[in-house]
Amino acid sequence: MTNQDENLSSQEQQDDLPNMSRRSFFKKTVIGGGAAMLTGGVALGASKAALEGSTNTPGIEVDELNFKPFDQRDLVLTHAVSPKLSKIDHPERSAQYSRLWNKEFDFNDVVQTFENRDHFDNSKSGYGQADRAIGHAAWYPLVVAKSRAAAFGQPNTPLHSWDQTDVEPEQYDWGSGKRAADMIRSTGRLFGAVRVGIAKFDKRFVYAPLYDMEDERTLSWEKDFPFKPKSVIVIATPMDYDNVATAPSWTSEGATGNGYSDMGKMACQMAKFIRGCGYHAVGAGNDLANSVAYAILAGMGEGGRLGSCIMPGVGPRVRLCKVFTDIDFEDAYDQPRTWGVREFCKTCKKCADSCPSGAISQDDEPTFHPTYEFSDEPGYTWNSHAGVSKWHSDSKRCFNFWVDNDTSCLNCIASCTFNEPDFWHHWMMMAVNPMMPKFLHAFMAEAHPAFGYGGQGPEPIPGKVEKFWRSGADMRTNVSMKNNIGTAG
């Protein structure tokens, strides 16, 4: 047996140790948790309603007196990529960040070399040549399509073109709004979506003004967008569980880049389908509007502490794209729903604990305004959408860690208690969650890492990096049904 085989065998033995402790943990807690689990089993087996969620929710709460649509020029990634915004219009932002955090930092300078530094170390788990290569490969479809900038908020890229000259002159008769919605969802599933939601166009949550980083100019919905949207189709594409678990390593960039590549493809395909049916449509990635807000409006999930949309079955382990269209879905629009996720987030805080930059709020309750460090400094909260009830994260600090780590970070997603494989018992806990008292929320949050999920820190967990690279072993037959999250739809 080779040294490598011996190392793998040793690793497999180490992997078995947590399994034994998890079995012991389960035996010790089965009595205490039995009643809740039985209740969950009854709820899961007797009623689909628990998993469909309740519409008894305000959805997105805003402070009407202080709320206004978010200016895209204040998105951290848009600001960093644009020399005009960061160096000419607002150089004081880099200067303030450098002063407050006692480090030299220029938003535009650091983005120039991001993920392109040739310093891999094959002796360091998660930071070797293959780990760098998988990330670059995952993003490559967007690079070839000259649409990578959509991830930074660039509108009107080749994949998400505003050109409407291919709209068929004859409009397809859907028959009803419900029939149209069903056909849109079926099309989305075909293209690889794990969720498809449909919301009415809501100008509160679009970026206004929009910003074109390539031409360095602002754009308006009234003068520049090619048509007046009536609806927004939100599409969720899943990310690989085992790859996300390697965060914050370079390995995990595979899940991020592939998610964005899938986003670009799905939004492009859906928009083309709709134009082929005789209606206007424009696909979007991170551009045009806040994807999380629209996913909430479309009833796909709830806004969590980490700032993502947490969806039943997949948690926050998804990427979101959108399609703006003039289709009127009549009375078939989705409505905001609750599964008790936001209430659960008040107790859990696993994402905030695992954030290497400390960017995620530790507040018990959501707030309408940022409360993070230095939020009382004039001008420091330029990147936050004040007036929205949520846990406000400091995305500047998050971006700073990306730069230092030389790759984006998925720690918050990997550590989320709702980020679990698509197993029946996880669905059961999802069903019973709204009925659970607060102390059981805390129990669930602690049980999550005890059973081997999450547990992210500032450095990747070597065993999880190796587990990902070994996870393809059963792929030919997939006897264990690993990562079978497509069934969650």
Side-chain angles (χ1 to χ4, degrees), residues 69 82 115 140 342 398 410:
S82 165
E115 292 186 343
Y140 197 55
R342 186 174 163 106
C398 178
L410 293 174

Side-chain angles (χ1 to χ4, degrees), residues 3 27 43 49 55 111 141 163 179 220 262 264 297 306 333 345 354 398 449 472:
N3 289 336
K27 290 178 182 177
T55 55
V111 85
D163 182 11
R179 174 69 172 172
S220 76
D262 285 345
L297 294 176
L306 72 172
Y333 286 99
C345 285
S354 74
C398 178

Side-chain angles (χ1 to χ4, degrees), residues 114-115 136 139 142-143 145-153 157 253:
F114 183 58
E115 292 186 343
H136 284 171
W139 282 100
L142 284 186
V143 174
K146 302 186 186 313
S147 298
R148 171 76 190 262
F152 302 107
T157 60
E253 190 65 21

Side-chain angles (χ1 to χ4, degrees), residues 381-394:
T381 62
W382 54 270
N383 58 293
S384 294
H385 197 175
V388 181
S389 176
K390 63 177 183 175
W391 286 280
H392 292 261
S393 298
D394 188 352

Side-chain angles (χ1 to χ4, degrees), residues 39-340:
T39 303
V42 172
L44 181 62
S47 177
K48 196 177 176 182
L51 294 178
E52 291 181 343
S54 168
T55 55
N56 185 27
T57 173
I60 302 175
E61 297 178 89
V62 300
D63 176 0
E64 299 292 351
L65 294 177
N66 298 292
F67 176 87
K68 60 182 180 179
F70 194 77
D71 187 331
Q72 189 193 329
R73 293 171 294 184
D74 291 336
L75 286 175
V76 167
L77 292 180
T78 299
H79 175 81
V81 170
S82 165
K84 180 179 184 297
L85 294 179
S86 59
K87 290 186 174 296
I88 299 175
D89 294 352
H90 294 290
E92 76 282 357
R93 292 176 175 177
S94 290
Q96 182 187 49
Y97 191 88
S98 298
R99 173 175 59 83
L100 292 175
W101 293 103
N102 194 30
K103 63 181 297 182
E104 286 298 318
F105 193 86
D106 183 281
F107 285 96
N108 186 248
D109 286 348
V110 297
V111 85
Q112 305 304 318
T113 60
F114 183 58
E115 292 186 343
N116 284 303
R117 304 171 204 164
D118 294 326
H119 59 271
F120 56 77
D121 181 355
N122 286 326
S123 67
K124 186 177 180 181
S125 179
Y127 293 93
Q129 184 175 0
D131 305 289
R132 175 58 88 203
I134 198 171
H136 284 171
W139 282 100
Y140 197 55
L142 284 186
V143 174
V144 173
K146 302 186 186 313
S147 298
R148 171 76 190 262
F152 302 107
Q154 175 65 33
N156 200 12
T157 60
L159 274 181
H160 301 149
S161 174
W162 289 11
D163 182 11
Q164 300 293 295
T165 57
D166 61 343
V167 175
E168 286 291 331
E170 179 181 348
Q171 287 192 335
Y172 176 76
D173 182 4
W174 305 103
S176 68
K178 172 67 164 56
R179 174 69 172 172
D182 288 345
M183 292 179 67
I184 290 293
R185 295 182 202 283
S186 299
T187 303
R189 188 189 70 245
L190 169 69
F191 295 152
V194 73
R195 291 285 191 285
V196 178
I198 303 172
K200 289 183 178 179
F201 179 78
D202 189 334
K203 198 169 183 181
R204 293 178 303 168
F205 301 110
V206 300
Y207 298 136
L210 300 166
Y211 194 73
D212 183 334
M213 293 172 285
E214 293 179 356
D215 293 337
E216 299 281 19
R217 64 190 183 101
T218 58
L219 303 169
S220 76
W221 288 90
E222 294 76 17
K223 295 180 180 179
D224 300 294
F225 200 70
F227 61 92
K228 186 175 181 179
K230 294 180 181 178
S231 310
V232 180
I233 300 163
V234 186
I235 303 170
T237 177
M239 293 188 288
D240 182 80
Y241 177 85
D242 286 322
N243 189 270
V244 169
T246 69
S249 70
W250 290 357
T251 325
S252 66
E253 190 65 21
T256 300
N258 192 62
Y260 273 96
S261 293
D262 285 345
M263 285 166 54
K265 178 186 80 75
M266 290 183 196
C268 172
Q269 288 175 305
M270 183 66 79
K272 179 63 177 176
F273 168 70
I274 291 172
R275 294 196 299 270
C277 290
Y279 298 83
H280 293 91
V282 166
N286 285 353
D287 52 309
L288 300 188
N290 186 310
S291 298
V292 172
Y294 266 101
I296 295 170
L297 294 176
M300 300 170 74
E302 296 181 61
R305 176 181 295 275
L306 72 172
S308 298
C309 181
I310 299 178
M311 301 182 187
V314 287
R317 197 177 67 256
V318 293
R319 292 289 171 182
L320 299 170
C321 58
K322 310 171 289 289
V323 176
F324 290 74
T325 179
D326 59 358
I327 297 174
D328 185 349
F329 290 91
E330 302 167 355
D331 59 352
Y333 286 99
D334 292 305
Q335 302 299 320
R337 292 177 179 271
T338 178
W339 292 263

